[in-house]
Amino acid sequence: MNTSFSITDFYKELAYSLPKSTSHTRKIWVNKIITEDIAIKDIANLLKCEQKTATRFQWLISEIGIANPNRLLAELPFLLPFFDQLNPIYKSSLASYWLIAGVPTENEGVAIDLLFQWLLSNHVNVTIKSRSIMVLFKLTKKYPELKNEFVLCLQNQQHKYSKDFEKRVSKILNKL
């Protein structure tokens, strides 16, 4: 690790710059986070900042996972309970993180409950529902006893949203 690097200064840079950040800038930060081995927990309080900063930080977390899924997977046991301290709307971003990196074994029970809740909720957008479906589908391979409940939930939701969502659900049902 670079001895002249300061996590405090980097945090301040992110807090100031995230609201106006571009994908290109976030890629530079992702590389810095990975290269300098900065733990997400060391900068996680950015999720407690105003909404635009927190949202862009959520995007940054996804981009870290895309660049290094194992790195994100290792951080997820910290993030799951951390999200309990935040605005509840942020918690659904875990569906994206689990889709990118997988669900840590120690979080599977809570994750399964949350994913089913998001799938069945009238207050969750179709994107989160779709990501929840994909993660649950992966988990049914590990836990086949979830299949029946999953099939019933999919059938319940199948015709409630867009044609694209309906096709996605049909494909998953055919694979089950």
Side-chain angles (χ1 to χ4, degrees):
M1 186 175 208
N2 183 349
T3 55
S4 65
F5 179 78
S6 164
I7 290 178
T8 303
D9 290 342
F10 184 60
Y11 180 93
K12 289 176 185 175
E13 176 186 343
L14 291 175
Y16 177 78
S17 302
L18 270 168
K20 299 174 193 151
S21 66
T22 64
S23 176
H24 175 74
T25 306
R26 287 190 305 276
K27 284 180 184 177
I28 293 169
W29 291 330
V30 166
N31 288 331
K32 184 177 270 193
I33 289 166
I34 292 170
T35 306
E36 298 290 339
D37 197 26
I38 301 167
I40 291 173
K41 68 180 178 182
D42 291 338
I43 52 177
N45 280 334
L46 289 164
L47 291 164
K48 294 179 180 179
C49 293
E50 57 87 24
Q51 186 175 0
K52 196 166 187 179
T53 300
T55 300
R56 295 296 195 288
F57 186 60
Q58 288 176 295
W59 295 355
L60 185 66
I61 293 170
S62 292
E63 291 163 349
I64 292 166
I66 291 166
N68 189 334
N70 290 330
R71 172 69 183 276
L72 178 57
L73 182 64
E75 301 271 5
L76 288 173
F78 162 78
L79 284 172
L80 178 61
F82 188 79
F83 273 95
D84 290 335
Q85 304 171 34
L86 308 173
N87 185 327
I89 63 168
Y90 296 152
K91 195 168 199 169
S92 63
S93 63
L94 288 165
S96 299
Y97 305 154
W98 292 328
L99 183 60
I100 292 167
V103 179
T105 304
E106 63 266 36
N107 296 146
E108 286 175 340
V110 173
I112 289 167
D113 288 343
L114 285 170
L115 292 163
F116 274 114
Q117 285 174 30
W118 295 329
L119 175 58
L120 295 172
S121 174
N122 293 328
H123 305 291
V124 173
N125 69 44
V126 176
T127 300
I128 297 303
K129 287 180 181 291
S130 294
R131 291 175 183 165
S132 296
I133 288 169
M134 298 306 297
V135 177
L136 282 166
F137 178 67
K138 290 178 183 179
L139 288 167
T140 60
K141 293 177 189 228
K142 186 172 181 180
Y143 301 104
E145 64 274 15
L146 292 174
K147 276 187 185 180
N148 290 338
E149 181 180 359
F150 188 42
V151 167
L152 290 172
C153 290
L154 290 175
Q155 290 170 339
N156 175 272
Q157 297 292 302
Q158 187 171 15
H159 303 293
K160 291 185 176 181
Y161 302 98
S162 67
K163 289 290 182 191
D164 184 53
F165 182 80
E166 191 173 325
K167 287 179 191 175
R168 188 168 296 131
V169 169
S170 291
K171 285 181 183 178
I172 296 295
L173 284 169
N174 287 334
K175 291 179 182 179
L176 290 168

